[in-house]
Amino acid sequence: MWQNNFLILLTLLLINQVCSDYLSTRNEILRAEKSMAVGGSITLTNKEKEANEILLRVKQKELQGVQEDIAKFPPARHFFVMKKDVEKSKLFSILQKLPKGGSLHTHLTASVSLDYVFTSIVSRENLHGCVINGRLKVKFFEKGKTNNLCKWEPIKDLRKKQATSDAWIKSQISLIHEGNPSNAYNSAHNVWNTFINTFATVYDMLAYKPVFQDYLYQALQEFYEDKVFYVEFRVNFPELYELNGTVYGYSEFLQTFSDVVQRFKREHPGFIGAKMIYAPNRALNATQLEQALSTYTTLQKSHPNVLAGFDLVGCEEIGTPLFNFYQQFNKAQNNINFFFHAGETNWYGFDVDKNLIDAVLLGSKRIGHGYALLKHPKVLEMVKQKDIAIELSPISNQVLMLVDDSRNHPATGLIAQGFPIVVCNDDPGFWGAKGLSYDWYMVYMGMASKDAGLEFLKQLALNSLKYSSLPENEKNQAIRDWNVSWEKFIDDLIKDKAKYQ
Ligand SMILES: *[C@@H]1O[C@H](CO)[C@@H](O)[C@H](O)[C@H]1NC(C)=O
Ligand SMILES: *[C@@H]1O[C@H](CO)[C@@H](O)[C@H](O)[C@H]1NC(C)=O
Ligand SMILES: *[C@@H]1O[C@H](CO)[C@@H](O)[C@H](O)[C@H]1NC(C)=O
Ligand SMILES: [Zn+2]
């Protein structure tokens, strides 16, 4: 009998030992994974820890019940239908106040909110419109001085007609579709077509010099109000024009850009600045590319503080692969900073997917989207080793139909492994967003771990300055300035604790 009891005791002891080994190993894995993820190397100060508790409480509260009812979880739904739910979120209001650093991937002519474009630009004197093949064209002309391209009418007359009502005009200058978005666009190809047409429609309207100046100023204003103090715009240089028919060259455009940014800085203390990445359309041939590279090199010499680098834009899936031009790019890579869009696709092994390999080999300083990166372990090794940042634009990837539910976004895997992610907004004006907080919300709520706290957000903000094109001394100053806003944000969060109970 005593032998039996002894055996039972021994077994229990062993189980206990095995269990505690099991539990400590399990805890070790959890700890290790947390330290590997984005933000894992950051140690919070005591004050930050206090603020973190408040933040996490708000976050957990908003995550309560979503597992039973996914309709309550905005990142799992289409941006067009969940935007108003995001705006009601307390967590979103915290993110709006959080100093986010910079936005490093924003296309200038799609950067301003639809509200502003419609109420303050479409309504202007001298804007004329006409309809060609079912699409709106708009351009500024002096009274009676229209051209013969189509049957121009003052925009205010068009707006009175049912076929070209305000709702229709909005549908021509954005991708927004009321109701179920899947009824509007049935494929990525289809939504890209509308996307490209939208850029074409707004181009002539925004290239009118006085409008361009206001538009750029408003873009900076919307970023500034959203606590984003530095911007790098992708720009396919427009030829600015005046009502009297004067058309300006690139140099005048760069000067205009620079003047507006300088004026904005003077009027907004704390704003760091804005630069451009020259990004012509990828539907070009070798001769045109060589021309573009040489134009860039010349302009970069005369405007070194304005021009940060070179990229190609347009639908990657249908555009020329980078590989077709690797010799031209390779020759230029010592003199030009590249910031290539690459791997914005779901097609594994196709030319568009292989753009990732060329982007890295050609010395790209950051990668635009890098949506397909997880399928390229070798490229990922190089990304890590060369410390190349990945420009993540979650709402763009959803609206342009790479992914429906942000939880399925492949960058979740990159976040888990601590890759240098920078959150960007790509084309916020075209899908009804404004500033950068909506994208931060999608990343924080839909793509990071439930346990990710302030350390994660702090890392994202620091990344957006660290991987910017600011020269080293300006970058360090920008980080110091950011730090002051950050400390204030932490203090305010603690002060407003009661509001977040
Ligand atoms: C056209 O208008 C611009 C801006 O008002 C002005 O600076 C320029 O001198 C004008 N050019 C001609 C040819 O009238
Ligand atoms: C490149 O495109 C331009 C404009 O369409 C054309 O004039 C030129 O002949 C093309 N060059 C080559 C080498 O195909
Ligand atoms: C921010 O400022 C605090 C002191 O106020 C300092 O301890 C910390 O190292 C600074 N962090 C950065 C990223 O500059
Ligand atoms: Zn882009």
Side-chain angles (χ1 to χ4, degrees):
M1 189 61 188
W2 70 269
Q3 282 167 316
N4 267 353
N5 281 348
F6 179 74
L7 273 179
I8 289 171
L9 188 64
L10 194 66
T11 312
L12 281 176
L13 273 173
L14 272 173
I15 289 176
N16 202 4
Q17 183 57 38
V18 169
C19 281
S20 83
D21 279 355
Y22 184 89
L23 291 180
S24 70
T25 307
R26 187 173 187 276
N27 283 334
E28 195 38 57
I29 293 173
L30 287 170
R31 244 195 320 274
E33 289 199 336
K34 177 136 175 103
S35 78
M36 287 159 88
V38 169
S41 59
I42 287 184
T43 311
L44 297 179
T45 63
N46 285 338
K47 223 189 315 169
E48 286 172 337
K49 281 183 189 152
E50 195 183 340
N52 192 32
E53 276 175 29
I54 299 166
L55 174 79
L56 285 176
R57 212 166 33 239
V58 175
K59 181 179 180 184
Q60 313 292 1
K61 206 162 170 185
E62 293 190 13
L63 288 173
Q64 259 165 33
V66 298
Q67 283 170 288
E68 291 87 60
D69 184 2
I70 202 68
K72 288 187 185 147
F73 189 55
R77 292 153 58 222
H78 196 284
F79 185 66
F80 295 170
V81 294
M82 54 74 166
K83 183 188 158 209
K84 53 188 184 313
D85 295 334
V86 174
E87 287 158 359
K88 286 184 221 141
S89 146
K90 270 192 189 174
L91 190 106
F92 180 66
S93 77
I94 294 176
L95 292 178
Q96 285 182 302
K97 295 184 193 97
L98 185 144
K100 286 170 281 288
S103 180
L104 304 184
H105 184 142
T106 304
H107 296 268
L108 180 56
T109 54
S111 62
V112 171
S113 62
L114 175 62
D115 269 354
Y116 177 88
V117 174
F118 190 75
T119 51
S120 300
I121 297 181
V122 170
S123 60
R124 280 189 202 203
E125 201 61 26
N126 295 318
L127 184 63
H128 289 70
C130 66
V131 183
I132 301 182
N133 299 328
R135 287 288 317 181
L136 176 68
K137 257 187 97 55
V138 274
K139 193 171 166 83
F140 285 90
F141 294 105
E142 244 168 9
K143 278 194 182 53
K145 290 240 172 95
T146 55
N147 65 26
N148 298 326
L149 272 182
C150 62
K151 206 172 142 285
W152 297 100
E153 287 178 70
I155 197 90
K156 59 176 183 296
D157 294 347
L158 276 180
R159 290 173 67 179
K160 284 184 204 131
K161 298 180 184 171
Q162 209 196 341
T164 50
S165 64
D166 285 359
W168 182 77
I169 289 171
K170 282 184 192 169
S171 81
Q172 300 295 295
I173 57 173
S174 84
L175 291 175
I176 297 170
H177 188 264
E178 302 294 333
N180 187 348
S182 56
N183 291 342
Y185 307 111
N186 55 22
S187 69
H189 192 73
N190 182 243
V191 71
W192 262 97
N193 263 341
T194 308
F195 189 49
I196 291 164
N197 285 336
T198 308
F199 275 107
T201 293
V202 299
Y203 179 91
D204 283 336
M205 179 168 71
L206 302 182
Y208 175 40
K209 190 175 169 189
V211 162
F212 177 76
Q213 290 166 315
D214 291 351
Y215 182 91
L216 173 58
Y217 195 92
Q218 177 67 17
L220 302 177
Q221 184 74 38
E222 291 183 3
F223 273 121
Y224 186 81
E225 285 167 9
D226 199 37
K227 306 289 185 285
V228 176
F229 299 137
Y230 175 74
V231 192
E232 290 183 16
F233 289 109
R234 299 297 207 282
V235 187
N236 190 353
F237 303 153
E239 294 183 315
L240 300 179
Y241 65 91
E242 301 279 7
L243 277 186
N244 61 17
T246 302
V247 176
Y248 299 108
Y250 290 166
S251 190
E252 176 72 20
F253 168 70
L254 293 178
Q255 196 55 48
T256 306
F257 179 95
S258 173
D259 291 346
V260 172
V261 172
Q262 290 311 319
R263 176 160 58 90
F264 189 85
K265 272 182 73 167
R266 279 197 304 278
E267 293 165 8
H268 296 78
F271 190 75
I272 296 164
K275 293 183 191 288
M276 273 189 274
I277 292 168
Y278 177 37
N281 197 292
R282 60 192 331 122
L284 37 61
N285 62 33
T287 321
Q288 291 166 309
L289 176 73
E290 282 159 19
Q291 183 61 50
L293 289 170
S294 121
T295 300
Y296 175 80
T297 309
T298 310
L299 292 170
Q300 212 278 337
K301 286 200 184 100
S302 53
H303 298 82
N305 300 321
V306 179
L307 285 172
F310 188 95
D311 184 14
L312 293 176
V313 296
C315 186
E316 239 188 292
E317 289 184 356
I318 55 176
T320 320
L322 292 177
F323 183 55
N324 286 27
F325 302 131
Y326 82 92
Q327 285 162 320
Q328 286 85 349
F329 286 133
N330 207 18
K331 209 161 66 189
Q333 73 162 291
N334 291 331
N335 305 316
I336 300 181
N337 288 333
F338 292 126
F339 297 91
F340 289 124
H341 278 73
E344 188 183 4
T345 186
N346 277 325
W347 291 108
Y348 186 12
F350 287 59
D351 282 348
V352 47
D353 175 53
K354 291 176 185 154
N355 277 345
L356 283 167
I357 297 170
D358 297 294
V360 169
L361 285 178
L362 293 168
S364 201
K365 303 287 178 225
R366 301 190 301 260
I367 293 177
H369 297 291
Y371 188 88
L373 266 171
L374 273 193
K375 296 166 197 157
H376 295 274
K378 203 69 206 164
V379 175
L380 277 174
E381 262 174 35
M382 294 168 80
V383 163
K384 199 145 234 183
Q385 182 235 329
K386 295 178 169 205
D387 202 20
I388 301 171
I390 299 147
E391 300 167 342
L392 169 61
S393 299
I395 300 174
S396 167
N397 298 152
Q398 187 194 52
V399 172
L400 297 176
M401 295 178 80
L402 289 177
V403 64
D404 292 328
D405 179 334
S406 292
R407 294 171 302 162
N408 286 332
H409 195 296
T412 48
L414 302 177
I415 288 170
Q417 296 173 66
F419 276 89
I421 300 282
V422 288
V423 180
C424 308
N425 60 4
D426 213 13
D427 310 278
F430 282 8
W431 36 79
K434 186 177 181 181
L436 196 52
S437 292
Y438 292 96
D439 286 281
W440 271 61
Y441 178 90
M442 250 27 93
V443 173
Y444 186 50
M445 291 299 273
M447 297 175 61
S449 161
K450 170 168 157 285
D451 302 322
L454 209 50
E455 75 291 344
F456 176 81
L457 301 175
K458 188 176 185 180
Q459 186 71 64
L460 289 182
L462 284 168
N463 283 354
S464 76
L465 297 172
K466 177 178 174 195
Y467 295 99
S468 72
S469 311
L470 287 166
E472 216 50 35
N473 56 336
E474 289 178 39
K475 189 183 287 185
N476 292 335
Q477 186 57 48
I479 292 173
R480 281 194 294 274
D481 292 348
W482 169 84
N483 200 15
V484 175
S485 322
W486 175 259
E487 304 253 314
K488 182 173 181 317
F489 163 74
I490 297 294
D491 286 340
D492 289 349
L493 195 55
I494 294 169
K495 216 165 47 209
D496 288 344
K497 188 172 177 170
K499 221 165 78 184
Y500 297 117
Q501 291 299 335

